[in-house]
Amino acid sequence: MVGLTASDVPPTMAVTIFSAGVAAGVADVITFPLDTAKVRLQIQCECQTSSAVRYKSVLGTITTLAKTRGPMKLYSGLPAGLQRQISFASLRISIYESIQEFFTTGKESNLGSRVSAGLTNGGVAVFIGQPTEVVKIRLQVPSGLHGPKPRYTGTYNAYRIIATTEGLTGLWKDDVPCHFVSAVIAGFCTMVLSSPVDVVKTRSVNCLPGRYTSVSDCAMMMLTKEGPSAFFKGFVPSFL
């Protein structure tokens, strides 16, 4: 029997966790200015001073912040963001298969076992990574939002102050119901936007040769013959 080559040997759990953490960390470094801009746009109406800088778009927020506070301000909270990726993303990616195997012991994988594995996997990752998310957002907001002086001098100072002034639960402000409701709403919005494209894709792939001349022809025939509701067939199972 021919032995396994290096490419055939599955990576160990340690390698999987490390690889997932590094990949997520690199992605976080690249996209962090966008995340900072998002946070600034979401909370700018809460600024107490009338002289606070107002942002109008993602690009405008990034350029204005870079010009007025310096480019490094776009990366405020990056250490906490990287800690979040290492703890949250690496765990979520690496332990899913093990959790799914636990729920499918002695039987084939089905929708119920995958949903259970996903809920357990996400819950564990969120619980472990939530403190880093709180600190990251706190450091991304404008320093004058809650007074003339910055609330924290750095990442670990933020951990210490939140834990001592708000208690350890302050690092888990977003509770499980909040994440559950947010996930349900996000999943619903995603399906509303993607279902029409998914239905057209399924029809196009599954049709007999010559039935549709193009993707747009398929969509138009669905609309004229079946009405707008045709674009949302299979919505419920996809949403679930």
Side-chain angles (χ1 to χ4, degrees), residues 34-199:
L34 294 173
D35 190 59
T36 300
K38 178 205 71 174
V39 171
R40 293 276 177 143
L41 287 168
Q42 288 175 336
I43 55 87
Q44 67 174 345
C45 292
E46 298 181 4
C47 290
Q48 299 174 350
T49 59
S50 58
S51 59
V53 177
R54 296 293 174 181
Y55 309 108
K56 297 182 179 180
S57 65
V58 174
L59 182 60
T61 302
I62 293 175
T63 54
T64 301
L65 191 57
K67 289 179 181 178
T68 58
R69 304 299 301 276
M72 293 307 297
K73 198 65 179 178
L74 294 169
Y75 290 91
S76 294
L78 178 62
L82 292 176
Q83 292 165 7
R84 176 185 182 276
Q85 294 298 345
I86 293 173
S87 60
F88 181 79
S90 61
L91 281 174
R92 188 179 60 180
I93 293 172
S94 61
I95 67 176
Y96 175 78
E97 292 297 333
S98 299
I99 294 176
Q100 188 179 26
E101 289 178 4
F102 172 79
F103 283 104
T104 57
T105 302
K107 59 182 180 180
E108 293 184 359
S109 175
N110 53 36
L111 178 61
S113 64
R114 289 194 293 270
V115 169
S116 299
L119 289 173
T120 304
N121 182 40
V124 170
V126 166
F127 180 80
I128 294 175
Q130 183 60 25
T132 62
E133 177 75 1
V134 172
V135 171
K136 177 182 75 72
I137 293 176
R138 294 281 185 95
L139 293 173
Q140 284 177 312
V141 301
S143 57
L145 180 62
H146 298 282
K149 295 182 179 180
R151 301 172 74 186
Y152 315 109
T153 58
T155 302
Y156 294 102
N157 177 256
Y159 282 118
R160 183 180 62 81
I161 291 179
I162 293 174
T164 54
T165 60
E166 304 177 40
L168 290 176
T169 56
L171 294 170
W172 280 272
K173 280 192 172 293
D174 295 337
D175 52 13
V176 173
C178 173
H179 280 283
F180 179 78
V181 173
S182 299
V184 170
I185 294 174
F188 179 81
C189 294
T190 299
M191 283 310 305
V192 168
L193 294 174
S194 65
S195 181
V197 179
D198 189 53
V199 174

